[in-house]
Amino acid sequence: MTSHTAPDHVAGEPTSMTHREVLRTISGIFMGLFVSIIATSIVSSSLPKIVADLGGNQSAFTWVVTATLLTTTISTPIWGKVADLVDRKLTIQIALSITVLSAAFAGFSHSPATLITWRAFQGIGAGGLTAVGMVLIADIISPRERGKYMGYMGAIMAVATIGAPLLGGFLTDTAGWRWNFFVGVPFAVIAIVLIQRTLHLPPLERPQRVSIDYLGATLISAGIALLLLWVTFAGSRFDWLSWQTAVMVGGAVAILAAAVWAESRAEAPIIPLGLFRNSTLTLVVIASVALGVVLFGTTVFLSQYMQIARGYSPTVSGLLTVPLILGQLTASISSGRAVSRTGVYKKFLVMGAIIMPIGIGLMGSITYQTNLVVISAYMALIGVGMGLLMQNMVLAAQNTMTPAELSTGSATIAFFRSLGGAIGVSALGAILGHRVSTEITGGFASAGLTPPAALAGGTLPDVSTLPGPIATIVESAYGTAVAEVFLVAAPVALIALVCVILLKEVPLATKSNAELRLEELARAEARAEAQAETQAEARGES
C-alpha cells in the first residue's frame, strides 16, 4: 500500500474568514444540498402508495429508485469534469434547477414508466449537486476545519432526510402524493438566490483548449446501465444462470474494459486512472461502493416494511424511521467537531465501520411482529455508523488530493458510492421480490386460499384493503423478505471495515483550495512582475 505524507499545504495559518463569514458563504451550498435531498427522498415514505396507485409492481418500485441512482452515478464524474471547466457557482445552480424541475414534472406522471423517466432526469441534477457541492466546500474551508462544517452538512442532510419523508407522508395522506413532487420548487428558488448572493470564489485557471471525454462517458454509461439491467431482471425475467446472463454480463464487462482503455488514453478522462495511485482514495472508493450497496440497498425498503409488513400510513412510516436519522445526525455533528478539534479522524471511521454492520445484521433478525422499540434501536445503530463514516471518509480522501485533483477525485468517490447504491437497490430489490413471491405463494398454499389476481401479478398491495387472513400472509411475507435483504447486506458492510483499518491517517491540511489558488495567483503575478523588471533592466543596459 502506497503511503502518503501530508500535502504541501499543511503548513500555514487557518482560513482568515470568521466562522460567521464561512457559514454565510456556504449557506447557499447547504441550502442546495437540502433541496436536493428533499426532492429525492420526499417520496421514500410514500413510494409504496405511489407505485400501487400507478399500478406498478415490485420491479417498478425498484426502478423508481434505481433510475435516479443510475443517472446520478453516470452523471457525477461528468459534472466533476464540468466543474473544472465552467464557473462552479453557475454549475451548481444548473444542477439544482434540473433536480427540482424534473421532480415537478414527475408529479404529473400517470404511469410507472413516466415516473421512472422523470426520476432519471432528477438523478442527473442530483449528480451535479453531489459532485460540485463537496468541491465548493473544499474550495472554501481547509481540511483541518472542514470536519466541523462537514458535520454541520451531515446534520442538515439528516434533518432533510427526516423531514422529507414526514412531509411527503403528510402531503400524501392529506393533499395527495403528487404534491410530494411540487413542494420543492419554492425551496429551490431560495437556494438559487442564496448561492448567487453569498458564494464568491476566486477565478479558476482553465485550460486553453477544452477536451471532453465523450467516448469514456458513453462507455461508462453503457456498461453500468447494462450491468444494472442484468441485476434487475435476473431471477425474474430469466434465470441467474442462463444465456441472457452470459450475454449481459459478458457485454458489460467488455464495455467497461473498453472504458478503462479509453480513460487510460484520453487527454482529459472522466475518471483519471492516475487517481488510484493514491492508496487513501482507492480504499475510500472501495469502502464507498460497499456502503452504497448496504445503505441504499437496505434503507430504501424500510418504507415497504413499515407500510406493508406493519400496515402503517405513509406519515407514520416516516416517523418510525426517525431513529436512524437521529443516530446519523448526532454522530455526524459530534464526530465532525471532534475531528476539527483534534485533527484525528481514523478512529471515528473504525468505530462507524464496526457499529454499522452490527445494526445491519440485527435488522436481519426482524419479523412483521418485532417490537418497534427494538427495531428503533437497530436503526439508530445503523444511523450512528453512517454518521461516523460518510463525511469523514470523504474528508480523509480530500486531504490527500492536490487542488487540481479535487473536483475529479471527489466526483469519483461520489460516483462509486452511487454505483454501489444502484447495484444494491437492483440486486437486493430482486432478492426482495423473489422472496416475497415465494412467501406469498407458500402462505396461500398453507392456508388453502387462492391469492388475488393483483398479488399473483406482483403488484404492490395496499394492506388496508385486504381481508384479515390475506393481510396477515402479505405482512408476514414482506417482513421476512425485508429482513433477508438486511441479512444479505450485512457481510458486504464488513468490506468498509477492512478498508478503513488499512487507511493511513494523514495530518489534516490547514488551508483551503481557494486560499491556495489566491496564493498561486499572487506568486504568478510576482513572477511576471520580476520578469518584466528583468527585461526592462536588460533593455536599459543595452
Side-chain angles (χ1 to χ4, degrees):
M1 182 177 67
T2 305
S3 63
H4 284 272
T5 57
D8 292 339
H9 53 284
V10 166
E13 294 298 320
T15 174
S16 58
M17 297 174 70
T18 66
H19 180 69
R20 182 185 180 89
E21 289 170 336
V22 171
L23 284 177
R24 182 178 181 276
T25 302
I26 63 179
S27 61
I29 303 170
F30 282 175
M31 188 64 179
L33 293 171
F34 179 83
V35 173
S36 172
I37 294 167
I38 289 285
T40 52
S41 65
I42 194 170
V43 299
S44 60
S45 63
S46 311
L47 203 51
K49 182 172 181 59
I50 294 171
V51 175
D53 281 355
L54 294 176
N57 54 19
Q58 181 64 50
S59 178
F61 180 97
T62 300
W63 267 99
V64 169
V65 180
T66 302
T68 308
L69 287 172
L70 174 60
T71 51
T72 299
T73 301
I74 292 170
S75 65
T76 295
I78 299 174
W79 282 107
K81 180 60 65 177
V82 170
D84 284 336
L85 305 174
V86 180
D87 179 69
R88 288 174 182 167
K89 179 192 289 189
L90 176 62
T91 304
I92 198 168
Q93 288 173 317
I94 291 172
L96 183 58
S97 300
I98 293 172
T99 301
V100 179
L101 287 177
S102 56
F105 282 119
F108 295 105
S109 300
H110 289 281
S111 70
T114 306
L115 178 61
I116 290 167
T117 300
W118 285 115
R119 289 280 291 176
F121 279 101
Q122 203 173 340
I124 295 173
L129 290 168
T130 301
V132 184
M134 296 301 298
V135 175
L136 286 172
I137 292 172
D139 274 337
I140 298 166
I141 307 166
S142 72
R144 179 62 185 264
E145 292 297 311
R146 202 177 302 156
K148 176 169 58 181
Y149 293 97
M150 291 181 80
Y152 294 153
M153 186 179 73
I156 289 170
M157 293 170 69
V159 169
T161 309
I162 292 174
L166 294 177
L167 177 61
F170 174 76
L171 290 173
T172 298
D173 290 338
T174 56
W177 60 260
R178 296 184 187 278
W179 281 97
N180 282 213
F181 299 100
F182 303 144
V183 74
V185 175
F187 289 104
V189 173
I190 295 171
I192 290 171
V193 172
L194 269 176
I195 291 170
Q196 183 62 35
R197 295 187 62 179
T198 64
L199 185 61
H200 304 290
L201 296 170
L204 283 172
E205 288 188 36
R206 297 183 178 87
Q208 294 181 347
R209 190 171 71 86
V210 176
S211 175
I212 300 176
D213 181 19
Y214 295 108
L215 177 60
T218 302
L219 291 172
I220 292 170
S221 303
I224 291 170
L226 186 56
L227 189 62
L228 292 178
L229 287 170
W230 167 68
V231 170
T232 301
F233 296 133
S236 57
R237 304 289 180 84
F238 50 82
D239 292 334
W240 288 96
L241 296 177
S242 62
W243 68 265
Q244 292 96 330
T245 289
V247 170
M248 296 181 78
V249 174
V253 170
I255 293 171
L256 291 175
V260 172
W261 175 85
E263 294 299 88
S264 68
R265 285 158 176 77
E267 181 179 345
I270 296 294
I271 302 178
L273 300 183
L275 286 174
F276 295 99
R277 288 193 290 268
N278 180 337
S279 62
T280 298
L281 183 137
T282 301
L283 289 169
V284 168
V285 161
I286 296 170
S288 295
V289 174
L291 287 179
V293 170
V294 171
L295 297 179
F296 286 107
T298 55
T299 56
V300 75
F301 299 115
L302 281 174
S303 61
Q304 287 193 37
Y305 176 80
M306 295 300 180
Q307 291 176 51
I308 301 177
R310 304 305 292 254
Y312 293 110
S313 69
T315 302
V316 176
S317 172
L319 282 169
L320 291 172
T321 59
V322 165
L324 185 147
I325 310 304
L326 285 179
Q328 180 185 1
L329 183 151
T330 304
S332 179
I333 292 178
S334 58
S335 67
R337 295 182 69 85
V339 167
S340 288
R341 186 177 64 254
T342 64
V344 175
Y345 55 83
K346 182 172 179 177
K347 66 180 180 181
F348 298 106
L349 292 175
V350 174
M351 287 167 55
I354 292 171
I355 292 171
M356 192 184 67
I358 292 174
I360 295 283
L362 289 172
M363 282 293 290
S365 67
I366 65 174
T367 70
Y368 77 109
Q369 295 176 315
T370 302
N371 188 295
L372 288 175
V373 175
V374 173
I375 293 176
S376 295
Y378 296 166
M379 288 193 293
L381 284 175
I382 297 172
V384 169
M386 290 168 59
L388 292 171
L389 275 172
M390 299 291 281
Q391 308 305 328
N392 289 325
M393 280 205 314
V394 175
L395 172 63
Q398 286 182 340
N399 186 53
T400 62
M401 298 179 202
T402 66
E405 295 172 335
L406 192 68
S407 291
T408 50
S410 300
T412 297
I413 295 169
F415 165 81
F416 281 100
R417 184 172 62 237
S418 297
L419 175 60
I423 292 172
V425 172
S426 297
L428 297 178
I431 292 171
L432 177 69
H434 177 73
R435 186 60 186 269
V436 164
S437 177
T438 302
E439 290 290 320
I440 287 178
T441 301
F444 276 99
S446 299
L449 299 172
T450 301
L455 286 178
T459 301
L460 289 186
D462 184 347
V463 178
S464 63
T465 65
L466 299 176
I470 294 178
T472 300
I473 293 172
V474 171
E475 288 170 353
S476 177
Y478 274 88
T480 301
V482 171
E484 181 170 308
V485 162
F486 280 95
L487 202 58
V488 170
V492 180
L494 296 176
I495 297 173
L497 175 59
V498 174
C499 289
V500 299
I501 289 174
L502 293 175
L503 276 179
K504 180 179 176 59
E505 189 154 29
V506 177
L508 291 174
T510 57
K511 288 192 177 182
S512 70
N513 286 320
E515 290 177 302
L516 294 173
R517 285 207 301 271
L518 288 173
E519 289 179 358
E520 180 58 33
L521 289 172
R523 284 194 293 269
E525 290 176 2
R527 285 195 298 269
E529 289 176 2
Q531 186 176 8
E533 290 176 1
T534 302
Q535 292 174 346
E537 290 174 359
R539 285 194 298 270
E541 291 175 357
S542 62

